[in-house]
């Protein structure tokens, strides 16, 4: 299902995708991995057959389960449906901060809550704050709308006992302030963590889980790499955020769940551990945070 507004992560991220580069080759298999955050519909997997094909491709290199994430109401319906098409697919439901105003649509809260309650929905996300897009394009939710929506999603996560999956773009201090103001749920995941070592330490001290995407592999991401080194073994996840943010050296090519091993290998190297160990510990964390239905699959 094509999103009604923009792309999952806003139109600017399309610049990372490029138009001409061919898809990256299949990496060497690294068994036991999870893609903790992807957008299957953004990867053009909008039918049961296409989803199966994509997840088969991921499984062929060891990526055994994926969490496909919603950014708007249409996608929230899609991700729950897609999670029924294949046992290896799980959903996360929320409004992206840039689409936070959709919360004011008649019936939106009720529908989001119903979809988020589905046993295949393993997280409330992606929600949070995004200051990057303010003033850069039309139709972006105002700061007031974003704070209100983030607060509503925090409350939903607490009521449903599901982890909160945060999108944070240029809003470090405000995200932390909102979590304090509304009261953080038991489990908080920063998807596509993009902060420096100080922000990582702050999150780690609060018990939050940090999920790293292909951005950590970029040659200019020195601060992010420093952050990725200090996260304890049991607070680390790996994700693609596909179709965006394809890891080095394939930056600019379309991303997909099968590319997780590129980032996992990079993170393992950065932390001085074997890739197999990185796979084992990130998957143990995914099993813990995403709950019983996920862990049992
Ligand atoms: Zn995001
Ligand atoms: Zn995303």
């Amino acid at each position: 299902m094509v999103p009604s507004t923009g792309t999952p992560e806003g139109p600017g991220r399309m610049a990372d995708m490029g138009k001409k580069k061919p898809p990256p080759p299949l990496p060497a298999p690294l068994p036991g991995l999870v893609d903790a955050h992807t957008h299957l519909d953004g990867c053009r997997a909008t039918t049961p057959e296409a989803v199966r094909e994509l997840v088969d491709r991921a499984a062929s290199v060891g990526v055994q389960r994926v969490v496909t994430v919603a950014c708007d109401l249409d996608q929230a319906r899609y991700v729950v449906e897609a999670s029924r098409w294949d046992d290896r697919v799980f959903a996360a439901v929320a409004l992206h901060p840039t689409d936070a105003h959709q919360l004011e649509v008649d019936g939106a809260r009720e529908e989001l809550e119903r979809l988020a309650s589905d046993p295949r929905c393993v997280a409330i996300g992606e929600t949070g704050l995004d200051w990057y897009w303010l003033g850069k394009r039309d139709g972006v939710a105002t700061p007031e709308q974003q704070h209100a929506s983030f607060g509503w999603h925090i409350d939903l996560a607490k009521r449903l006992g599901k982890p909160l999956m945060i999108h944070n773009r240029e809003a470090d201090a405000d995200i932390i302030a909102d979590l304090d103001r509304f009261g953080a749920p038991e489990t908080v995941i920063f998807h596509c963590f993009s902060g420096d070592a100080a922000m990582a330490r702050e999150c780690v001290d609060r018990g939050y889980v940090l999920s790293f995407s292909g951005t950590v592999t970029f040659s200019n991401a020195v601060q992010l790499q420093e952050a990725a080194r200090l996260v304890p073994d049991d607070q680390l996840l790996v994700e693609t955020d596909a179709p965006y943010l394809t890891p080095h050296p394939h930056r600019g090519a379309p991303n997909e769940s099968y590319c997780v091993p590129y980032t996992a290998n990079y993170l393992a190297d950065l932390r001085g551990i074997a890739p197999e160990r990185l796979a084992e510990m990130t998957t143990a964390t995914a099993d813990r945070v995403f709950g019983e239905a996920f862990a049992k699959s």
Side-chain angles (χ1 to χ4, degrees):
M1 215 167 285
V2 177
S4 54
T5 50
T7 67
E9 299 287 27
R13 292 270 186 110
M14 294 297 280
D16 278 340
M17 277 182 68
K19 297 260 153 41
K20 292 177 193 125
K21 278 204 177 185
L26 287 174
L30 178 54
L33 285 167
V34 162
D35 185 354
H37 182 116
T38 186
H39 301 274
L40 292 184
D41 52 341
C43 301
R44 300 197 172 83
T46 54
T47 63
E49 295 72 29
V51 165
R52 190 170 316 115
E53 223 176 272
L54 187 154
V55 183
D56 280 348
R57 194 157 42 244
S60 76
V61 295
V63 183
Q64 281 145 359
R65 287 165 293 167
V66 309
V67 179
T68 186
V69 181
C71 295
D72 63 21
L73 276 170
D74 279 346
Q75 291 180 351
R77 296 174 194 123
Y78 160 80
V79 293
V80 171
E81 202 182 345
S83 71
R84 298 222 175 79
W85 293 339
D86 194 301
D87 284 351
R88 301 164 294 181
V89 175
F90 292 83
V93 168
L95 299 177
H96 192 279
T98 56
D99 282 319
H101 48 281
Q102 278 199 2
L103 199 62
E104 292 150 23
V105 171
D106 266 354
R109 290 165 194 243
E110 293 73 15
E111 185 169 18
L112 284 168
E113 180 153 355
R114 182 178 59 73
L115 292 165
S117 304
D118 193 284
R120 303 290 299 175
C121 173
V122 296
I124 307 306
E126 54 186 293
T127 175
L129 302 171
D130 188 321
W131 299 156
Y132 175 80
W133 284 108
L134 288 174
K136 289 201 181 69
R137 69 167 162 103
D138 292 338
V140 174
T142 65
E144 292 70 28
Q145 288 168 325
Q146 294 195 29
H147 284 298
S149 172
F150 189 31
W152 184 81
H153 284 95
I154 289 172
D155 182 61
L156 181 65
K158 288 195 281 197
R159 282 191 285 117
L160 297 181
K162 295 190 180 186
L164 184 73
M165 185 184 272
I166 291 180
H167 169 101
N168 166 25
R169 202 156 179 199
E170 298 184 4
D172 287 3
D174 292 326
I175 292 266
I176 297 289
D178 271 6
L179 285 168
D180 285 347
R181 181 159 65 101
F182 294 108
E186 196 184 318
T187 305
V188 173
I189 302 161
F190 276 72
H191 116 76
C192 188
F193 184 79
S194 58
D196 59 10
M199 177 65 175
R201 204 162 280 127
E202 169 102 40
C203 291
V204 163
D205 288 348
R206 290 160 173 265
Y208 302 159
V209 172
L210 276 52
S211 182
F212 288 86
S213 72
T215 55
V216 75
T217 70
F218 296 171
S219 53
N220 57 354
V222 180
Q223 290 193 323
L224 188 55
Q225 289 152 9
E226 202 187 319
R229 261 188 224 109
L230 65 82
V231 181
D233 289 358
D234 60 353
Q235 285 172 264
L236 187 76
L237 288 172
V238 60
E239 65 170 70
T240 58
D241 202 14
Y244 314 101
L245 310 176
T246 313
H248 177 79
H250 304 290
R251 195 174 176 179
N255 199 5
E256 219 185 80
S257 291
Y258 76 83
C259 294
V260 173
Y262 288 116
T263 304
N265 280 313
Y266 185 89
L267 281 170
D269 191 44
L270 196 65
R271 295 167 66 93
I273 58 171
E276 292 74 18
R277 171 70 192 132
L278 193 286
E280 188 190 342
M281 72 198 211
T282 51
T283 294
T285 299
D287 283 344
R288 186 182 81 241
V289 300
F290 292 134
E292 213 175 308
F294 185 89
K296 275 200 300 207
S297 65

